[in-house]
């Protein structure tokens, strides 16, 4: 069967959920610490004296996250690698005879999985220190803002604290920058990194298995709702490895010994992936190309435009953002307002999926339950 990052996409959800739960626990813990005794005249002094207690609570959240995340990362990558291998085995087994059939069995994967897991643990490691720093910085900022508010007569201490905490809930833990210099918050960054890693594991396992079987060419599917990065590679035949750039290769016919056929290739699979093919959220697949036999499959009908799929993701982010606002609310009125916004954006999602036929993915509207 063909391979795609999408076949392992759900595995990233378990890892991302751990970080989302930790971020929500962080927001709730800071909010609870600040809301306690908010109307007391000694509130500022009490809050500054209690910052050590907050540090201890946040460190406990981070320690639990580190313990859970390491195992979840390794498990997700092991499963993704296995799915990629099984996809290749299914394709090779369909060839019935010859070296391909002999190679249609799983290879030892421990070393590859350990390598991929270690790289992802290292990439997400700075998140833990950032969480502690952000929680303490936000706590001090809210104390300063709320303490100054009555002095300048601009607002009450409660309103100032609520406003500052709402900003924290909107941003979450920020400060993560990827290789393309794009900024992310904690959960989005970890989900992006993990989805990239599990997709890479599945594709790498598939190509490793094909290499062992001597397969030289693969073909890219023609998928609906494609993005501009993938469109140039749709339906194209690629070298599994080797030189970049288009050309014509002479290869043996898939079933007729001694007969060669000319195949036009658009480039190599590593070249296509470097330009964006098989990115996270990619709907394209890669499968074995059998010279003289394989014919491109027709493009499936599109349910919506690429822009509409991105609009759905934007609305999902808004649902999650207002749920975080509700978690950071210092009073019932703010919580009711935030929950009303949640329902509003969920209504917009229902309208979009009804108009387009896109599937509603309720999981992407959820935020974790705090520990």
């Amino acid at each position: 069967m063909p391979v795609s990052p999408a076949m392992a996409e759900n595995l990233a959800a378990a890892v991302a959920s751990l970080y989302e739960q930790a971020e929500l626990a962080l927001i709730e813990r800071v909010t609870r610490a600040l809301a306690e005794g908010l109307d007391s005249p000694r509130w500022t002094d009490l809050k500054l004296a209690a910052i050590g207690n907050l540090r201890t609570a946040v460190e406990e959240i981070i320690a639990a996250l580190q313990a859970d995340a390491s195992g979840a990362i390794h498990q997700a990558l092991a499963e993704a690698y296995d799915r990629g291998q099984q996809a290749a085995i299914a394709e090779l087994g369909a060839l019935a005879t010859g070296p391909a059939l002999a190679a249609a069995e799983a290879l030892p994967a421990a070393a590859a999985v350990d390598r991929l897991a270690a790289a992802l643990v290292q990439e997400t490691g700075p998140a833990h220190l950032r969480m502690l720093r952000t929680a303490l910085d936000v706590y001090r900022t809210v104390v300063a803002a709320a303490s100054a508010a009555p002095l300048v007569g601009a607002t009450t201490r409660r309103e100032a604290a609520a406003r500052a905490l709402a900003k924290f809930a909107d941003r979450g833990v920020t400060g993560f920058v990827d290789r393309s210099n794009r900024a992310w918050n904690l959960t989005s960054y970890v989900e992006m990194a993990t989805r990239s890693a599990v997709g890479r594991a599945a594709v790498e396992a598939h190509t490793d298995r094909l290499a062992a079987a001597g397969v030289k060419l693969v073909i890219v599917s023609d998928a609906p709702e494609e993005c501009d990065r993938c469109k140039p590679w749709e339906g194209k035949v690629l070298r599994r490895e080797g030189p970049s750039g288009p050309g014509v290769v002479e290869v043996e016919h898939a079933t007729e010994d001694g007969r060669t056929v000319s195949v036009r290739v658009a480039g190599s699979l590593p070249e296509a992936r470097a330009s964006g093919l098989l990115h996270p959220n990619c709907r394209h697949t890669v499968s074995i190309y059998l010279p003289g036999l394989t014919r491109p499959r027709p493009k499936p009908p599109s349910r919506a435009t690429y822009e509409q799929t991105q609009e759905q993701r934007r609305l999902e982010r808004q649902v999650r953002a207002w749920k975080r606002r509700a978690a950071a609310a210092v009073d019932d009125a703010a919580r009711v307002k935030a929950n009303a916004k949640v329902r509003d954006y969920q209504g917009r999602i229902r309208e979009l999926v009804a108009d387009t036929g896109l599937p509603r993915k309720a999981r992407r509207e959820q935020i974790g339950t705090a520990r």
Side-chain angles (χ1 to χ4, degrees):
M1 61 183 288
V3 71
S4 165
M7 73 188 312
E9 179 179 312
N10 66 312
L11 298 173
V15 177
S17 178
L18 289 174
Y19 282 85
E20 192 165 47
Q21 290 170 21
E23 186 176 42
L24 182 61
L26 209 65
I27 292 171
E28 291 184 338
R29 188 64 187 84
V30 172
T31 300
R32 190 162 64 249
L34 290 166
E36 186 177 355
L38 190 57
D39 297 322
S40 168
R42 297 185 58 243
W43 178 82
T44 300
D45 293 336
L46 293 172
K47 296 303 108 175
L48 292 176
I51 195 167
N53 296 336
L54 177 65
R55 174 186 284 274
T56 300
V58 172
E59 287 174 342
E60 289 175 355
I61 292 170
I62 294 171
L65 172 63
Q66 287 176 312
D68 292 346
S70 179
I73 284 172
H74 198 281
Q75 183 176 345
L77 287 164
E79 178 64 21
Y81 198 91
D82 183 64
R83 290 183 187 181
Q85 283 214 85
Q86 294 304 321
I89 288 169
E91 288 191 288
L92 293 167
L95 301 183
T97 60
L101 182 58
E105 59 183 34
L107 292 171
V113 170
D114 287 346
R115 171 176 51 82
L116 291 165
L120 182 55
V121 168
Q122 183 177 15
E123 187 172 359
T124 55
H128 306 135
L129 180 60
R130 186 73 184 174
M131 288 173 66
L132 176 60
R133 185 182 307 159
T134 297
L136 298 180
D137 286 350
V138 167
Y139 184 89
R140 293 189 183 98
T141 298
V142 174
V143 170
S147 300
L151 298 178
V152 299
T155 185
T156 67
R157 178 191 295 162
R158 183 174 294 276
E159 289 169 345
R163 187 165 57 249
L165 286 167
K167 289 181 181 178
F168 176 37
D170 287 346
R171 294 193 313 267
V173 180
T174 59
F176 303 96
V177 179
D178 64 15
R179 296 183 183 90
S180 300
N181 207 35
R182 290 174 297 184
W184 301 78
N185 68 13
L186 171 67
T187 303
S188 297
Y189 177 77
V190 170
E191 183 176 19
M192 176 274 298
T194 307
R195 292 176 73 177
S196 296
V198 295
R200 186 163 59 249
V203 173
E204 184 175 311
H206 185 267
T207 53
D208 286 350
R209 198 73 222 96
L210 299 188
V215 174
K216 293 181 172 60
L217 301 177
V218 295
I219 186 169
V220 181
S221 66
D222 197 350
E225 302 147 27
E226 72 278 16
C227 69
D228 292 339
R229 289 183 291 171
C230 298
K231 196 167 187 176
W233 304 103
E234 286 194 317
K236 298 295 195 299
V237 179
L238 303 172
R239 304 178 188 89
R240 181 183 52 76
E241 61 181 5
S244 301
V248 176
V249 297
E250 299 293 328
V251 291
E252 187 176 12
H253 192 280
T255 57
E256 299 179 21
D257 293 342
R259 179 185 169 191
T260 60
V261 293
S262 298
V263 179
R264 181 170 295 280
V265 297
S268 69
L269 181 58
E271 174 191 7
R273 292 182 66 189
S275 72
L277 181 68
L278 302 182
H279 58 82
N281 304 329
C282 184
R283 294 173 175 80
H284 293 86
T285 62
V286 172
S287 56
I288 292 175
Y289 180 82
L290 301 176
L293 295 181
T294 301
R295 297 289 180 270
R297 295 181 179 179
K299 187 184 187 78
S302 295
R303 297 165 298 186
T305 64
Y306 177 73
E307 289 71 23
Q308 286 172 321
T309 66
Q310 297 309 294
E311 172 64 7
Q312 182 179 5
R313 284 192 168 275
R314 186 189 72 81
L315 294 173
E316 290 162 351
R317 288 194 296 272
Q318 289 297 319
V319 170
R320 297 197 303 270
W322 282 102
K323 285 183 176 181
R324 289 197 302 272
R325 278 277 194 114
V330 296
D331 54 44
D332 290 340
R335 193 172 298 110
V336 168
K337 179 181 177 181
N339 286 330
K341 284 288 189 178
V342 169
R343 292 190 294 272
D344 175 53
Y345 280 106
Q346 287 176 330
R348 298 190 202 185
I349 292 173
R350 286 193 294 270
E351 291 176 2
L352 179 64
V353 299
D355 291 342
T356 62
L358 287 169
R360 183 174 181 181
K361 299 184 178 181
R363 179 190 63 78
R364 297 201 310 226
E365 301 170 30
Q366 303 302 316
I367 58 175
T369 301
R371 297 165 190 245

